[in-house]
Amino acid sequence: DTAVSQTPKYLVTQMGNDKSIKCEQNLGHDTMYWYKQDSKKFLKIMFSYNNKELIINETVPNRFSPKSPDKAHLNLHINSLELGDSAVYFCASSHGLAGGHTNTGELFFGEGSRLTVL
Amino acid sequence: KNQVEQSPQSLIILEGKNCTLQCNYTVSPFSNLRWYKQDTGRGPVSLTIMTFSENTKSNGRYTATLDADTKQSSLHITASQLSDSASYICVVSARTSGDNRKLIWGLGTSLAVNP
């Protein structure tokens, strides 16, 4: 019944490794996002996909590569992990683009994936 | 520069008491404003959305107000419960072009409700 699900919930890895986080939504939404929440709790948009097309890419290092095989999935692959990548990564989805006036664009978030790079 | 500032940064209250959280923004052109609740270890959940013409909106014990002239919003929590302990985040949507919007996130207010 989980609307937006992410795996894994926790990820501990060494610097330099490559890792992936998966996200799936069963809400029938057409837009999905990856957000990064740092230690100061600030939520920052990384990527947004609408109908499998990349529409937002916010100055994220190209070590981060999102992949959307279909509208219900948006995965995040990170190469050559660095200490500064340690954070909680949230997947979200919406019907229409986020920020709309009504329920359209309301963001539904997953539980988050806490990445710790040692 | 589009910014959303929230105060206080953190707040501790006793169960059953009321509290008010503040959000000031400098976002233009304004589209709408949302309040989110984020429990520890969970993703944010939307509480209310307010458009330019709305002054107040309630969701159970949560009441949000919006003054578009002074660019201020508040979230009032009535008869607080232990489960209200969370971070409350103000998010302002700015129109960019056509139907596109950009979300400007505040840092949140961390609320602790003690028994």
Side-chain angles (χ1 to χ4, degrees):
Chain A
D1 287 321
T2 303
V4 182
S5 57
Q6 302 178 223
T7 55
K9 191 172 174 64
Y10 298 98
L11 188 54
V12 181
T13 188
Q14 297 288 333
M15 213 164 44
N17 285 349
D18 303 337
K19 291 293 178 187
S20 292
I21 307 172
K22 296 185 177 181
C23 179
E24 176 182 3
Q25 55 95 4
N26 62 5
L27 296 167
H29 289 164
D30 56 4
T31 310
M32 295 185 71
Y33 313 79
W34 277 109
Y35 277 83
K36 179 181 180 181
Q37 188 169 44
D38 59 26
S39 57
K40 293 183 179 178
K41 306 296 184 186
F42 184 66
L43 265 162
K44 185 173 181 181
I45 181 76
M46 298 175 67
F47 301 102
S48 173
Y49 271 73
N50 176 254
N51 287 316
K52 300 197 302 175
E53 279 192 38
L54 180 66
I55 56 172
I56 295 177
N57 182 346
E58 290 281 327
T59 59
V60 179
N62 55 17
R63 297 183 295 105
F64 291 78
S65 53
K67 281 190 171 55
S68 181
D70 54 58
K71 285 196 300 184
H73 296 85
L74 180 61
N75 303 324
L76 183 65
H77 187 76
I78 315 170
N79 289 330
S80 303
L81 279 157
E82 300 177 357
L83 294 177
D85 297 332
S86 294
V88 182
Y89 292 85
F90 285 98
C91 177
S93 71
S94 65
H95 173 58
L97 298 177
H101 281 273
T102 60
N103 288 334
T104 297
E106 179 176 346
L107 286 167
F108 291 79
F109 284 86
E111 300 286 86
S113 297
R114 180 175 292 278
L115 171 65
T116 302
V117 182
L118 302 175
Chain B
K1 180 182 178 183
N2 287 330
Q3 274 188 313
V4 174
E5 293 184 351
Q6 294 186 240
S7 61
Q9 189 175 3
S10 61
L11 183 61
I12 302 174
I13 62 174
L14 291 175
E15 188 179 8
K17 298 296 185 183
N18 304 336
C19 68
T20 300
L21 314 180
Q22 299 291 345
C23 173
N24 296 340
Y25 61 91
T26 54
V27 175
S28 182
F30 175 87
S31 177
N32 56 75
L33 182 148
R34 287 183 190 268
W35 283 93
Y36 282 86
K37 178 187 180 190
Q38 184 175 19
D39 292 317
T40 301
R42 309 290 292 273
V45 175
S46 180
L47 292 175
T48 65
I49 176 174
M50 302 186 74
T51 58
F52 186 87
S53 58
E54 294 176 303
N55 299 119
T56 184
K57 183 171 277 190
S58 292
N59 178 1
R61 293 178 298 100
Y62 300 102
T63 299
T65 65
L66 174 65
D67 186 333
D69 291 331
T70 61
K71 299 188 177 181
Q72 295 179 325
S73 176
S74 67
L75 181 69
H76 186 74
I77 304 175
T78 304
S80 61
Q81 300 177 357
L82 298 179
S83 60
D84 293 331
S85 296
S87 180
Y88 292 84
I89 308 172
C90 176
V91 186
V92 181
S93 174
R95 291 198 310 272
T96 53
S97 61
D99 291 332
N100 293 327
R101 304 283 189 276
K102 179 170 183 170
L103 297 182
I104 314 300
W105 292 75
L107 272 173
T109 292
S110 179
L111 173 66
V113 180
N114 290 341

